[in-house]
Amino acid sequence: MRTPFERHYVKDLAGNAHPDAVAAFNATRPVRRKYFPGAAGRYRPEDHYVVAPARWERTPEGKVWLGIFAHETGHAIDHGGRPSGQGRSIWMGPAIRRDRMGMVSRSEVERGTLAHVDGEWALGRFPPGARAWLLEGLPGRAEAACFARCWSVGRMEQAIDAYARARLTLSSRMRKGPPDEDARLHVYAMAKVNDYIGAVYDLERGGGHSRAYYRQFLPLAGSALTIGHAAEAFANAFVADVLEGTELLSFLVRSAAPHTHAAYRFLLRRIGLGLCLRG
């Protein structure tokens, strides 16, 4: 039996959520909700509950809480009742190291040029579903082509920042007021893509959680790769698999760090099949 907290949120996740993500959720014992005034979303593995409001509709953040639920549920699936620091995502460590070995630094990317890259060509390299989400969420084809061009040359942070500005501006213009909740949720999801990149590359690329946050955790391979990096990469990849727009979100996390994403999907499938035992 799923908890009322879970049932309330799950009904608003993507209808085409990745089947392995659905199976992993179903294989994870129900997660309870705790509410503390003023507290932000957080999963507490020792007690297997998520700090969250009763209903996202009653919060100033609105539907963004659906994205927070997805992220914290990713942590719950990773731990599956294990104590803090014993998430199964630690097995993604070698894949993260492999992606880091092939990383092009932010400074190297910024020294490059976009002049030789055709935006339409770059947009054509996106899978059809991802391309459709870009075109739907941005003001016009030119903005979508610009995003694809930036992404194709490794300017991931620039692409995500521009997407967020354009998506919120478009929503405000159409509503003649504040951006709608769907737009703000998708901007949150794109921020989780940025957080995924930051976790994989220890903020040499991407953003999100600070280095001070990651240094709180036990190392997997020196202080630059901790169990916190792996846990955040897992939770953010899960967000990309279950929110509306997964066609775009999952493509972005896969292309940003392919070895880490492959390890995440392998681990996710094993969790869903019940092959990752507690202990």
Side-chain angles (χ1 to χ4, degrees):
M1 290 290 293
R2 308 313 305 194
T3 63
F5 163 67
E6 291 173 315
R7 292 199 302 271
H8 174 75
Y9 282 93
V10 164
K11 64 182 176 58
D12 291 300
L13 295 177
N16 62 337
H18 195 281
D20 289 345
V22 175
F25 172 78
N26 290 334
T28 301
R29 66 185 175 91
V31 179
R32 298 176 297 125
R33 177 193 66 86
K34 291 286 186 180
Y35 173 67
F36 303 104
R42 182 183 177 188
Y43 171 68
R44 299 193 175 182
E46 294 83 357
D47 303 295
H48 198 56
Y49 67 68
V50 170
V51 178
R55 298 172 67 87
W56 52 255
E57 294 97 330
R58 298 177 183 173
T59 68
E61 295 83 1
K63 203 170 182 178
V64 169
W65 269 99
L66 180 63
I68 298 171
F69 166 81
H71 180 83
E72 303 306 336
T73 296
H75 284 309
I77 291 170
D78 178 14
H79 281 81
R82 298 176 180 208
S84 178
Q86 296 184 29
R88 291 169 286 205
S89 57
I90 60 173
W91 298 107
M92 294 163 52
I96 293 174
R97 287 196 295 271
R98 190 174 178 188
D99 276 323
R100 288 185 181 184
M101 288 174 63
M103 180 189 70
V104 178
S105 72
R106 191 175 309 188
S107 59
E108 289 177 282
V109 170
E110 291 172 350
R111 284 197 298 270
T113 177
L114 289 171
H116 67 286
V117 179
D118 179 74
E120 284 296 325
W121 170 84
L123 190 58
R125 297 184 68 194
F126 277 51
R131 188 164 59 248
W133 264 92
L134 273 179
L135 292 169
E136 181 178 340
L138 294 174
R141 194 173 186 91
E143 288 82 0
C146 182
F147 179 98
R149 184 172 60 161
C150 286
W151 196 267
S152 71
V153 299
R155 295 193 179 188
M156 299 175 288
E157 301 90 349
Q158 179 180 338
I160 290 171
D161 288 346
Y163 180 96
R165 290 194 300 271
R167 182 71 189 265
L168 294 175
T169 299
L170 175 63
S171 179
S172 293
R173 186 186 308 149
M174 294 178 67
R175 288 168 51 87
K176 296 182 172 59
D180 65 24
E181 294 198 343
D182 287 331
R184 291 193 293 115
L185 173 61
H186 208 69
V187 168
Y188 170 87
M190 292 292 277
K192 295 294 101 178
V193 172
N194 203 22
D195 194 19
Y196 168 85
I197 298 168
V200 172
Y201 297 112
D202 192 35
L203 299 177
E204 293 295 328
R205 299 303 311 272
H209 288 79
S210 67
R211 282 199 173 96
Y213 168 82
Y214 288 122
R215 299 305 180 260
Q216 300 175 65
F217 297 95
L218 293 173
L220 280 176
S223 61
L225 177 52
T226 69
I227 59 177
H229 290 94
E232 294 302 334
F234 185 99
N236 288 319
F238 183 80
V239 169
D241 272 348
V242 299
L243 289 185
E244 293 289 351
T246 182
E247 300 92 337
L248 173 63
L249 299 170
S250 292
F251 166 71
L252 295 179
V253 295
R254 182 175 72 250
S255 59
H259 300 295
T260 301
H261 188 258
Y264 152 76
R265 279 281 177 81
F266 178 80
L267 183 57
L268 190 73
R269 180 167 177 75
R270 289 182 64 85
I271 292 171
L273 292 172
L275 299 178
C276 293
L277 301 176
R278 291 182 61 184

PDB file of all heavy atoms in Angstrom, residues 206-221:
ATOM      1  N   GLY A 206      28.493  22.454 -14.680  1.00  0.00           N
ATOM      2  CA  GLY A 206      27.191  22.406 -14.023  1.00  0.00           C
ATOM      3  C   GLY A 206      27.147  23.205 -12.735  1.00  0.00           C
ATOM      4  O   GLY A 206      28.056  23.955 -12.400  1.00  0.00           O
ATOM      5  N   GLY A 207      26.038  23.031 -12.010  1.00  0.00           N
ATOM      6  CA  GLY A 207      25.844  23.784 -10.775  1.00  0.00           C
ATOM      7  C   GLY A 207      25.044  22.982  -9.778  1.00  0.00           C
ATOM      8  O   GLY A 207      25.074  21.766  -9.794  1.00  0.00           O
ATOM      9  N   GLY A 208      24.312  23.667  -8.916  1.00  0.00           N
ATOM     10  CA  GLY A 208      23.500  22.981  -7.915  1.00  0.00           C
ATOM     11  C   GLY A 208      24.156  22.970  -6.556  1.00  0.00           C
ATOM     12  O   GLY A 208      24.653  23.992  -6.084  1.00  0.00           O
ATOM     13  N   HIS A 209      24.189  21.817  -5.915  1.00  0.00           N
ATOM     14  CA  HIS A 209      24.748  21.695  -4.569  1.00  0.00           C
ATOM     15  C   HIS A 209      26.200  22.177  -4.537  1.00  0.00           C
ATOM     16  O   HIS A 209      26.961  21.950  -5.476  1.00  0.00           O
ATOM     17  CB  HIS A 209      24.698  20.235  -4.095  1.00  0.00           C
ATOM     18  CG  HIS A 209      23.307  19.767  -3.778  1.00  0.00           C
ATOM     19  ND1 HIS A 209      22.408  19.388  -4.764  1.00  0.00           N
ATOM     20  CD2 HIS A 209      22.666  19.599  -2.595  1.00  0.00           C
ATOM     21  CE1 HIS A 209      21.271  19.015  -4.193  1.00  0.00           C
ATOM     22  NE2 HIS A 209      21.389  19.135  -2.887  1.00  0.00           N
ATOM     23  N   SER A 210      26.562  22.791  -3.431  1.00  0.00           N
ATOM     24  CA  SER A 210      27.897  23.381  -3.320  1.00  0.00           C
ATOM     25  C   SER A 210      28.956  22.330  -2.990  1.00  0.00           C
ATOM     26  O   SER A 210      28.639  21.218  -2.557  1.00  0.00           O
ATOM     27  CB  SER A 210      27.897  24.431  -2.209  1.00  0.00           C
ATOM     28  OG  SER A 210      27.715  23.803  -0.942  1.00  0.00           O
ATOM     29  N   ARG A 211      30.208  22.696  -3.169  1.00  0.00           N
ATOM     30  CA  ARG A 211      31.294  21.798  -2.779  1.00  0.00           C
ATOM     31  C   ARG A 211      31.283  21.557  -1.273  1.00  0.00           C
ATOM     32  O   ARG A 211      31.605  20.462  -0.807  1.00  0.00           O
ATOM     33  CB  ARG A 211      32.643  22.380  -3.211  1.00  0.00           C
ATOM     34  CG  ARG A 211      32.923  22.199  -4.698  1.00  0.00           C
ATOM     35  CD  ARG A 211      34.418  22.341  -4.992  1.00  0.00           C
ATOM     36  NE  ARG A 211      34.698  22.000  -6.381  1.00  0.00           N
ATOM     37  CZ  ARG A 211      34.802  22.895  -7.361  1.00  0.00           C
ATOM     38  NH1 ARG A 211      34.622  24.170  -7.102  1.00  0.00           N
ATOM     39  NH2 ARG A 211      35.068  22.507  -8.596  1.00  0.00           N
ATOM     40  N   ALA A 212      30.900  22.576  -0.501  1.00  0.00           N
ATOM     41  CA  ALA A 212      30.814  22.400   0.951  1.00  0.00           C
ATOM     42  C   ALA A 212      29.795  21.324   1.301  1.00  0.00           C
ATOM     43  O   ALA A 212      30.006  20.533   2.231  1.00  0.00           O
ATOM     44  CB  ALA A 212      30.436  23.720   1.610  1.00  0.00           C
ATOM     45  N   TYR A 213      28.715  21.259   0.556  1.00  0.00           N
ATOM     46  CA  TYR A 213      27.715  20.212   0.772  1.00  0.00           C
ATOM     47  C   TYR A 213      28.329  18.837   0.516  1.00  0.00           C
ATOM     48  O   TYR A 213      28.185  17.915   1.330  1.00  0.00           O
ATOM     49  CB  TYR A 213      26.520  20.444  -0.159  1.00  0.00           C
ATOM     50  CG  TYR A 213      25.547  19.281  -0.230  1.00  0.00           C
ATOM     51  CD1 TYR A 213      24.576  19.099   0.748  1.00  0.00           C
ATOM     52  CD2 TYR A 213      25.614  18.363  -1.279  1.00  0.00           C
ATOM     53  CE1 TYR A 213      23.684  18.037   0.681  1.00  0.00           C
ATOM     54  CE2 TYR A 213      24.730  17.297  -1.353  1.00  0.00           C
ATOM     55  CZ  TYR A 213      23.772  17.137  -0.370  1.00  0.00           C
ATOM     56  OH  TYR A 213      22.902  16.076  -0.433  1.00  0.00           O
ATOM     57  N   TYR A 214      29.015  18.688  -0.594  1.00  0.00           N
ATOM     58  CA  TYR A 214      29.569  17.380  -0.947  1.00  0.00           C
ATOM     59  C   TYR A 214      30.667  16.939   0.014  1.00  0.00           C
ATOM     60  O   TYR A 214      30.842  15.736   0.252  1.00  0.00           O
ATOM     61  CB  TYR A 214      30.091  17.397  -2.389  1.00  0.00           C
ATOM     62  CG  TYR A 214      28.986  17.428  -3.411  1.00  0.00           C
ATOM     63  CD1 TYR A 214      28.894  18.452  -4.343  1.00  0.00           C
ATOM     64  CD2 TYR A 214      28.010  16.429  -3.440  1.00  0.00           C
ATOM     65  CE1 TYR A 214      27.874  18.489  -5.276  1.00  0.00           C
ATOM     66  CE2 TYR A 214      26.986  16.458  -4.376  1.00  0.00           C
ATOM     67  CZ  TYR A 214      26.925  17.479  -5.283  1.00  0.00           C
ATOM     68  OH  TYR A 214      25.899  17.508  -6.207  1.00  0.00           O
ATOM     69  N   ARG A 215      31.389  17.888   0.570  1.00  0.00           N
ATOM     70  CA  ARG A 215      32.488  17.517   1.464  1.00  0.00           C
ATOM     71  C   ARG A 215      31.995  16.967   2.806  1.00  0.00           C
ATOM     72  O   ARG A 215      32.788  16.483   3.597  1.00  0.00           O
ATOM     73  CB  ARG A 215      33.410  18.718   1.694  1.00  0.00           C
ATOM     74  CG  ARG A 215      34.065  19.270   0.431  1.00  0.00           C
ATOM     75  CD  ARG A 215      34.831  18.207  -0.365  1.00  0.00           C
ATOM     76  NE  ARG A 215      35.429  18.788  -1.556  1.00  0.00           N
ATOM     77  CZ  ARG A 215      34.913  18.700  -2.780  1.00  0.00           C
ATOM     78  NH1 ARG A 215      33.795  18.034  -2.974  1.00  0.00           N
ATOM     79  NH2 ARG A 215      35.511  19.276  -3.809  1.00  0.00           N
ATOM     80  N   GLN A 216      30.679  17.026   3.038  1.00  0.00           N
ATOM     81  CA  GLN A 216      30.129  16.447   4.257  1.00  0.00           C
ATOM     82  C   GLN A 216      30.103  14.923   4.204  1.00  0.00           C
ATOM     83  O   GLN A 216      29.943  14.271   5.229  1.00  0.00           O
ATOM     84  CB  GLN A 216      28.689  16.925   4.478  1.00  0.00           C
ATOM     85  CG  GLN A 216      28.506  18.419   4.610  1.00  0.00           C
ATOM     86  CD  GLN A 216      27.039  18.769   4.691  1.00  0.00           C
ATOM     87  OE1 GLN A 216      26.360  18.399   5.653  1.00  0.00           O
ATOM     88  NE2 GLN A 216      26.534  19.466   3.687  1.00  0.00           N
ATOM     89  N   PHE A 217      30.266  14.362   3.009  1.00  0.00           N
ATOM     90  CA  PHE A 217      30.068  12.931   2.813  1.00  0.00           C
ATOM     91  C   PHE A 217      31.394  12.175   2.743  1.00  0.00           C
ATOM     92  O   PHE A 217      32.439  12.747   2.432  1.00  0.00           O
ATOM     93  CB  PHE A 217      29.277  12.689   1.520  1.00  0.00           C
ATOM     94  CG  PHE A 217      27.890  13.266   1.541  1.00  0.00           C
ATOM     95  CD1 PHE A 217      27.638  14.524   1.011  1.00  0.00           C
ATOM     96  CD2 PHE A 217      26.839  12.554   2.098  1.00  0.00           C
ATOM     97  CE1 PHE A 217      26.367  15.063   1.029  1.00  0.00           C
ATOM     98  CE2 PHE A 217      25.563  13.086   2.122  1.00  0.00           C
ATOM     99  CZ  PHE A 217      25.325  14.329   1.595  1.00  0.00           C
ATOM    100  N   LEU A 218      31.315  10.890   3.002  1.00  0.00           N
ATOM    101  CA  LEU A 218      32.490  10.027   2.905  1.00  0.00           C
ATOM    102  C   LEU A 218      32.967   9.953   1.454  1.00  0.00           C
ATOM    103  O   LEU A 218      32.162   9.958   0.521  1.00  0.00           O
ATOM    104  CB  LEU A 218      32.157   8.626   3.408  1.00  0.00           C
ATOM    105  CG  LEU A 218      31.855   8.499   4.905  1.00  0.00           C
ATOM    106  CD1 LEU A 218      31.372   7.080   5.227  1.00  0.00           C
ATOM    107  CD2 LEU A 218      33.085   8.839   5.730  1.00  0.00           C
ATOM    108  N   PRO A 219      34.271   9.863   1.256  1.00  0.00           N
ATOM    109  CA  PRO A 219      34.793   9.831  -0.117  1.00  0.00           C
ATOM    110  C   PRO A 219      34.604   8.467  -0.775  1.00  0.00           C
ATOM    111  O   PRO A 219      34.617   7.426  -0.122  1.00  0.00           O
ATOM    112  CB  PRO A 219      36.281  10.133   0.078  1.00  0.00           C
ATOM    113  CG  PRO A 219      36.591   9.650   1.461  1.00  0.00           C
ATOM    114  CD  PRO A 219      35.348   9.904   2.266  1.00  0.00           C
ATOM    115  N   LEU A 220      34.406   8.514  -2.090  1.00  0.00           N
ATOM    116  CA  LEU A 220      34.447   7.301  -2.909  1.00  0.00           C
ATOM    117  C   LEU A 220      35.818   7.168  -3.558  1.00  0.00           C
ATOM    118  O   LEU A 220      36.291   6.066  -3.787  1.00  0.00           O
ATOM    119  CB  LEU A 220      33.371   7.352  -4.000  1.00  0.00           C
ATOM    120  CG  LEU A 220      31.940   7.000  -3.606  1.00  0.00           C
ATOM    121  CD1 LEU A 220      31.008   7.193  -4.793  1.00  0.00           C
ATOM    122  CD2 LEU A 220      31.866   5.573  -3.100  1.00  0.00           C
ATOM    123  N   ALA A 221      36.400   8.306  -3.902  1.00  0.00           N
ATOM    124  CA  ALA A 221      37.739   8.313  -4.496  1.00  0.00           C
ATOM    125  C   ALA A 221      38.336   9.692  -4.240  1.00  0.00           C
ATOM    126  O   ALA A 221      38.401  10.529  -5.130  1.00  0.00           O
ATOM    127  CB  ALA A 221      37.673   8.009  -5.985  1.00  0.00           C
TER     128      ALA A 221
END
